[in-house]
Amino acid sequence: MLEGKAVIEDTDMPDKMQIQAMASASEALDLYDVFDCTSIAAHIKKEFDTKYGSGWQCVVGSSFGCFFTHSKGTFVYFTLETLNFLIFKGASYLI
Amino acid sequence: MLEGKAMVKETDMSTKMQIHAMASASQALDLYDVYDCISIAAHIKKEFDSVYGNGWQCVVGSNFGCYFTHSSGTFIYFALATLNFLIFKGTSS
């Protein structure tokens, strides 16, 4: 399956990390059905926990809104195929 | 607007906190339109940050899946009206 190019809606991540996020999403869509949002999110979150330290959160879906506090430089929101992807590292304190 | 009773799908929160979560959601639905998921989520998250300390995350919508790590005793997922609500305190370590 060849996905179309992902469209970044909003981010404060460095470019390299953005590319990793979109690659993980694309990889997850190859592995799982488009309706299995939780497995797709799990795949991405686990990869980010492995590469960039623990504490990452990932939301995948076609209809959601959320409000959160994230660590600096760790937020990306993009669209790929019919799904929206939100990846961030949660912060438990404001700095 | 009188919402139906919220249905808790999964949680590891204390009962008191659960009730607070559902009350916040109900209050948010009175204040905002059902399509304004972000304002609804913001209302709930801000209240939880105020009452229980910083670090809360809230996802609201009719179609989403996510995967996350949360602090112990701070997770609830429930349905109210046409929306699903996920509230948790993320762990950053």
Side-chain angles (χ1 to χ4, degrees):
Chain A
M1 173 182 185
L2 288 178
E3 291 85 19
K5 183 177 171 62
V7 176
I8 300 250
E9 313 255 356
D10 198 4
T11 185
D12 73 343
M13 270 183 182
D15 286 349
K16 182 180 179 181
M17 200 179 280
Q18 284 178 45
I19 292 169
Q20 171 72 57
M22 290 184 281
S24 294
S26 184
E27 188 177 85
L29 287 177
D30 287 340
L31 291 171
Y32 303 104
D33 188 81
V34 75
F35 296 108
D36 193 0
C37 293
T38 302
S39 296
I40 293 170
H43 181 86
I44 299 168
K45 179 265 198 297
K46 288 175 180 174
E47 180 147 2
F48 268 67
D49 274 353
T50 302
K51 290 184 186 297
Y52 301 109
S54 59
W56 289 87
Q57 325 285 5
C58 183
V59 184
V60 177
S62 60
S63 177
F64 67 89
C66 57
F67 195 86
F68 56 94
T69 304
H70 67 85
S71 302
K72 185 178 178 182
T74 68
F75 159 66
V76 65
Y77 178 60
F78 61 94
T79 300
L80 179 58
E81 292 300 322
T82 58
L83 295 175
N84 295 300
F85 295 78
L86 171 65
I87 304 168
F88 65 96
K89 181 183 267 202
S92 53
Y93 48 85
L94 299 175
I95 55 176
Chain B
M1 172 182 184
L2 288 179
E3 292 85 19
K5 182 177 171 62
M7 180 184 300
V8 176
K9 299 191 174 185
E10 191 157 355
T11 185
D12 72 344
M13 273 182 180
S14 62
T15 303
K16 181 181 179 182
M17 200 180 279
Q18 284 178 45
I19 292 169
H20 191 176
M22 291 183 277
S24 292
S26 185
Q27 188 178 74
L29 287 177
D30 287 340
L31 291 170
Y32 304 104
D33 188 83
V34 76
Y35 297 107
D36 193 0
C37 294
I38 294 176
S39 296
I40 294 169
H43 181 86
I44 299 168
K45 179 262 197 301
K46 287 175 180 174
E47 176 148 353
F48 267 64
D49 273 353
S50 298
V51 177
Y52 301 107
N54 289 326
W56 289 87
Q57 324 285 3
C58 182
V59 184
V60 177
S62 59
N63 184 320
F64 67 89
C66 59
Y67 196 87
F68 56 94
T69 304
H70 67 85
S71 304
S72 173
T74 68
F75 159 66
I76 186 170
Y77 180 59
F78 62 96
L80 176 60
T82 58
L83 295 174
N84 293 300
F85 295 78
L86 171 65
I87 305 169
F88 64 96
K89 180 182 266 202
T91 173
S92 56
S93 61

